[in-house]
């Protein structure tokens, strides 16, 4: 007996009506003829894919792809410019006809195909090889992917400012079946090579919870909104910080953190700039800095700078912009603000203006800032240009006219960085011990303290080399180091073995100029408020 059967049937997503199927002739590009598939697979392997999984994705698609249907039945689009003889039904392939159509399209655009008749698009009096003179235009249009896929010929090869093949194709992860692939097939089929040397695939922008942005949900954050509220530099910084290999999250909370990160980078640069206002213009070039005249910590700062240049340059070259952001941020906050610049303040503020120690510090600062400004210029363009205009000395008119920095191997010192990494770790533990004493109200400012360190033989030898510099390193008034068992009230770090710190009140009185406590304060009748170091500076 008859029965009703329910089954799915395709419907138009707009008008909701059933789709009518009909059989019609189509145009195809064969994947087998001319070894197009094999040649395309070969070129995929010759291309650099960023991230690496992009190669496997497009390779699998091309390997299993059927012939490419390039025709569509639409009343709009770029036409398939072929003309058929009404009598013999053959398509005209005469080069004279093709050139006439090319000329017409060049003058009036692709719409001329729809505007003019067959005879107007062909040479005057043209007849088919069968003798007929009645023709009919092809009504199908090209697949839109074919249009974008030939941009390497229509754009890159047609403009002398552009290179072909292109250094980089950049698009979203959906383009392995779209533009990346159509560009590859049209180029390999006609040029015998890929249209690109490298292909970078990025994810899509989503909200802070990873959801797709939608007006109906109300989670859309537009670029215009960001630039109006926080400025274009914050938008640029977000673009750099986001790891484009996955979907990229953005939210007001994320932007707030980046605003703070930008402020720290800017303030670090501002501090360096503010402490070199009286520096001689020519003092900051590395080739004019005698490495042997520098303190060890200054050589360390320049070594860390060269390491940064090397890392950032490589990250730019490999399009890992998120690594650029993190490297620069860490350099500014950890290496500079929390360490080198913090220690440097005493030398900049209390040493004699023209002293060798202060001038060498300023020269190092100027070199660091000049290099850092160039490194951030591709991302924080306005900030970099603003900084560049205030850096002293002769330089190019704009930071964008200067050469990108290269690492100077003469100033790179891996052993020095390793040695000072240990000193920095010990310094962190001293700071923790100082903070505990501050909370206990034993001391107010760290300069009120004297620090005793109880160390192993190896650490003792390292710190003994820097004995005179240790008060500046820890920013305290006095430091003593011992190879002995620490007393029970000493601070022992759970992170750093074999290091104990005892914090005591420093001897002497506070110097009103450098704020260090010293037994020499009160010894000088002319300046009883000064310590011996400050007294000698003022009486030179």
């Amino acid at each position: 007996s008859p029965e009703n059967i329910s089954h799915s049937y395709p419907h138009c997503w707009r008008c909701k009506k059933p789709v009518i199927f009909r059989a019609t002739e189509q145009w195809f590009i064969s994947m087998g003829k001319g070894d197009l598939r094999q040649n395309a697979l070969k070129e995929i392997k010759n291309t650099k894919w960023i991230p690496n999984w992009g190669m496997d994705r497009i390779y699998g698609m091309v390997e299993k792809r059927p012939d490419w249907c390039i025709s569509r039945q639409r009343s709009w689009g770029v036409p398939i410019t072929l003309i058929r003889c009404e009598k013999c039904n053959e398509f005209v392939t005469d080069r004279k006809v093709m050139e006439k159509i090319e000329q017409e399209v060049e003058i009036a655009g692709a719409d001329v195909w729809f505007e003019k008749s067959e005879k107007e698009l062909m040479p005057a009096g043209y007849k088919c090889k069968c003798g007929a003179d009645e023709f009919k235009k092809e009504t199908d249009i090209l697949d839109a992917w074919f249009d974008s896929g030939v941009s390497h010929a229509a754009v890159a090869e047609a403009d002398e400012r552009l290179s072909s093949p292109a250094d980089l194709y950049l698009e979203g992860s959906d383009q392995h079946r779209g533009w990346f692939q159509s560009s590859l097939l049209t180029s390999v089929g006609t040029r015998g090579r890929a249209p690109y040397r490298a292909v970078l695939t990025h994810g899509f922008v989503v909200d802070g919870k990873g959801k797709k942005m939608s007006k109906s949900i109300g989670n859309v954050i537009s670029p215009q909104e960001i630039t109006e509220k926080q400025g274009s530099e914050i938008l640029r910084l977000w673009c750099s910080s986001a790891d484009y290999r996955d979907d990229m999250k953005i939210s007001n909370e994320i932007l707030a953190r980046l605003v703070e990160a930008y402020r720290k980078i800017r303030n670090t640069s501002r501090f360096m700039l503010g402490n070199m206002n009286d520096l001689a213009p020519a003092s900051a070039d590395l080739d004019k800095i005698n490495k042997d005249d520098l303190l060890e910590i200054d050589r360390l700062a320049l070594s860390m700078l060269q390491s940064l240049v090397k890392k950032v340059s490589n990250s730019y070259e490999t399009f890992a912009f998120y690594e650029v952001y993190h490297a620069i941020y860490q350099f500014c906050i950890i290496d500079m603000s929390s360490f080198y610049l913090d220690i440097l303040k005493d030398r900049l503020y209390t040493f004699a203006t023209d002293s060798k120690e202060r001038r060498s510090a300023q020269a190092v600062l100027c070199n660091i800032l000049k290099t850092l400004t160039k490194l951030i210029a591709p991302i924080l363009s306005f900030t970099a240009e603003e900084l560049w205009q205030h850096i002293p000395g002769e330089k190019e008119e704009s930071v964008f006219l200067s050469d990108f920095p290269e690492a100077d191997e003469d100033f790179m010192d891996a052993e020095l960085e390793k040695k000072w990494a240990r000193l920095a770790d010990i310094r962190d533990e001293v700071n923790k011990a100082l903070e505990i004493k501050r909370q206990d109200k034993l001391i107010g400012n760290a300069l009120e303290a004297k620090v005793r360190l109880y160390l192993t033989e190896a650490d003792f030898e390292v710190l003994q080399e820097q004995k005179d510099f240790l008060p500046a390193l820890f920013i305290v008034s006095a430091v003593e180091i011992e190879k002995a068992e620490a007393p029970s009230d000493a601070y022992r770090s759970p992170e750093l073995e074999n290091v104990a710190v005892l914090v005591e009140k420093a001897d002497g009185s506070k110097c009103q100029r450098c704020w260090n406590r010293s037994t020499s304060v009160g010894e000088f009748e002319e300046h009883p408020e000064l310590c011996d170091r400050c007294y000698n500076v003022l009486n030179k």
Side-chain angles (χ1 to χ4, degrees):
S1 62
E3 59 179 301
N4 293 326
I5 300 174
S6 298
H7 63 91
S8 61
Y9 188 87
H11 285 61
C12 174
W13 67 276
R14 283 194 173 179
C15 69
K16 313 303 180 188
K17 294 180 179 179
V19 175
I20 299 173
F21 289 99
R22 68 186 179 93
T24 182
E25 290 181 323
Q26 303 287 350
W27 290 92
F28 292 87
I29 291 177
S30 170
M31 293 296 293
K33 287 184 180 178
D35 292 326
L36 178 58
R37 187 190 311 277
Q38 293 307 314
N39 290 336
L41 293 174
K42 181 181 176 182
E43 285 301 298
I44 288 172
K45 289 185 175 180
N46 289 336
T47 301
K48 180 176 178 60
W49 297 88
I50 308 164
N52 293 331
W53 55 257
M55 187 184 78
D56 295 332
R57 181 175 167 84
I58 193 170
Y59 193 94
M61 290 177 175
V62 172
E63 189 176 35
K64 297 174 183 177
R65 173 174 192 148
D67 291 341
W68 181 8
C69 178
I70 62 167
S71 54
R72 298 289 185 273
Q73 291 71 52
R74 302 283 187 275
S75 58
W76 50 265
V78 176
I80 296 176
T81 53
L82 288 171
I83 297 176
R84 189 197 299 256
C85 174
E86 290 270 51
K87 184 178 179 181
C88 68
N89 216 31
E90 292 289 324
F91 283 96
V92 177
T93 57
D94 193 323
R95 186 62 202 166
K96 289 186 295 183
V97 177
M98 299 297 178
E99 288 175 352
K100 171 67 172 169
I101 295 170
E102 287 176 18
Q103 291 168 7
E104 292 288 343
V105 171
E106 188 175 6
I107 293 169
D111 279 354
V112 74
W113 184 258
F114 306 107
E115 294 166 353
K116 291 192 174 184
S117 66
E118 286 82 357
K119 288 190 177 180
E120 290 175 308
L121 291 167
M122 303 175 78
Y126 184 83
K127 291 185 178 182
C128 178
K129 55 188 177 183
C130 73
D133 61 356
E134 292 294 326
F135 302 95
K136 184 174 179 60
K137 293 182 290 185
E138 173 63 61
T139 57
D140 284 358
I141 65 162
L142 282 165
D143 174 15
W145 289 117
F146 188 93
D147 298 342
S148 61
V150 296
S151 57
H152 58 85
V155 179
E157 292 179 10
D159 192 329
E160 61 182 13
R161 296 171 300 175
L162 304 176
S163 63
S164 185
D167 291 322
L168 180 73
Y169 267 43
L170 166 68
E171 251 292 357
S173 53
D174 57 337
Q175 296 305 314
H176 291 99
R177 67 174 70 255
W179 184 49
F180 296 154
Q181 194 172 147
S182 63
S183 299
L184 175 73
L185 297 179
T186 56
S187 182
V188 170
T190 59
R191 285 9 181 211
R193 55 161 172 77
Y196 36 63
R197 294 187 178 92
V199 176
L200 188 150
T201 308
H202 61 77
F204 297 93
V205 179
V206 294
D207 69 11
K209 296 179 180 177
K211 291 182 179 179
K212 180 181 177 182
M213 289 193 183
S214 169
K215 289 182 180 178
S216 59
I217 299 176
N219 62 345
V220 175
I221 297 178
S222 69
Q224 291 83 358
E225 181 184 339
I226 298 170
T227 55
E228 286 173 7
K229 287 183 178 180
Q230 285 104 355
S232 61
E233 296 291 71
I234 301 303
L235 183 61
R236 286 171 175 270
L237 197 61
W238 173 80
C239 291
S240 168
S241 67
D243 187 345
Y244 57 75
R245 294 174 297 182
D246 297 311
D247 286 346
M248 298 164 283
K249 293 181 179 180
I250 188 168
S251 67
N252 290 327
E253 291 76 20
I254 292 171
L255 290 171
R257 290 199 295 270
L258 286 169
V259 168
E260 187 59 30
Y262 170 75
R263 186 178 290 115
K264 288 180 178 178
I265 293 171
R266 186 180 178 93
N267 285 345
T268 301
S269 303
R270 188 178 177 184
F271 174 86
M272 289 190 278
L273 188 63
N275 279 282
M276 61 180 74
N277 64 316
D278 61 335
L279 180 67
S283 301
D285 296 329
L286 270 187
D287 56 0
K288 295 177 181 175
I289 294 177
N290 188 342
K291 188 167 69 171
D292 296 332
D293 291 341
L294 298 177
L295 295 181
E296 197 169 285
I297 194 169
D298 293 334
R299 297 203 302 273
L300 171 70
L302 288 176
S303 181
M304 291 191 295
L305 179 68
Q306 308 318 308
S307 298
L308 177 73
V309 170
K310 212 168 188 177
K311 183 180 178 67
V312 168
S313 297
N314 181 67
S315 298
Y316 274 128
E317 290 295 329
T318 56
F319 310 108
F321 306 117
Y322 46 90
E323 291 181 0
V324 172
Y325 161 74
H326 288 293
I328 289 174
Y329 179 76
Q330 179 164 319
F331 179 79
C332 287
I333 305 309
I334 307 299
D335 297 338
M336 291 291 105
S337 291
S338 300
F339 185 70
Y340 181 64
L341 300 183
D342 198 26
I343 296 166
L344 204 60
K345 287 176 184 175
D346 181 68
R347 205 181 342 156
L348 291 170
Y349 298 165
T350 67
F351 280 55
T353 302
D354 290 323
S355 66
K356 181 180 176 182
E357 294 86 355
R358 184 172 180 272
R359 288 306 187 198
S360 65
Q362 286 181 303
V364 171
L365 282 185
C366 193
N367 185 265
I368 291 172
L369 182 59
K370 210 169 184 179
T371 303
L372 183 63
T373 303
K374 294 180 182 183
L375 293 178
I376 67 172
I379 296 171
L380 300 176
S381 305
F382 294 104
T383 303
E385 186 65 16
E386 185 182 1
L387 277 168
W388 188 258
Q389 298 307 321
H390 289 86
I391 294 175
E394 291 185 10
K395 56 188 184 298
E396 293 79 3
E397 184 180 352
S398 166
V399 66
F400 299 104
L401 297 176
S402 65
D403 292 332
F404 200 76
E406 295 182 5
D408 190 326
E409 297 291 337
D410 289 342
F411 283 87
M412 294 190 75
D413 193 331
E415 285 299 316
L416 186 66
E417 290 192 38
K418 182 179 177 181
K419 169 186 169 182
W420 276 82
R422 181 63 180 177
L423 286 170
D425 288 341
I426 294 173
R427 182 176 186 266
D428 288 341
E429 299 313 311
V430 169
N431 285 337
K432 291 175 186 177
L434 289 168
E435 182 58 31
I436 291 171
K437 294 301 181 183
R438 266 194 293 264
Q439 291 176 1
D440 293 342
K441 308 298 183 183
L442 177 68
I443 59 171
N445 187 291
L447 289 173
E448 294 179 11
K450 177 172 76 173
V451 168
R452 293 182 189 273
L453 288 167
Y454 299 89
L455 309 163
T456 61
E457 179 73 31
D459 285 334
F460 182 87
E461 294 302 326
V462 171
L463 268 69
Q464 184 68 23
E465 291 178 20
Q466 302 293 327
K467 188 174 182 181
D468 293 338
F469 186 70
L470 291 180
L473 176 63
F474 300 138
I475 314 179
V476 294
S477 288
V479 177
E480 293 181 4
I481 56 175
E482 296 183 28
K483 292 181 289 183
E485 186 69 29
S488 58
D489 57 342
Y491 170 78
R492 290 171 174 81
S493 166
E495 286 88 15
L496 208 62
E497 292 183 7
N498 303 319
V499 175
V501 184
L502 182 65
V503 177
E504 301 172 326
K505 195 87 171 178
D507 299 328
S509 302
K510 178 181 176 181
C511 172
Q512 296 303 306
R513 183 173 178 273
C514 70
W515 291 15
N516 280 274
R517 295 182 72 89
S518 173
T519 55
S520 62
V521 175
E523 290 182 0
F524 308 102
E525 185 176 344
E526 187 179 353
H527 292 289
E529 76 282 5
L530 299 182
C531 65
D532 54 352
R533 187 183 64 164
C534 289
Y535 179 83
N536 290 331
V537 168
L538 294 180
N539 284 274
K540 271 191 176 180

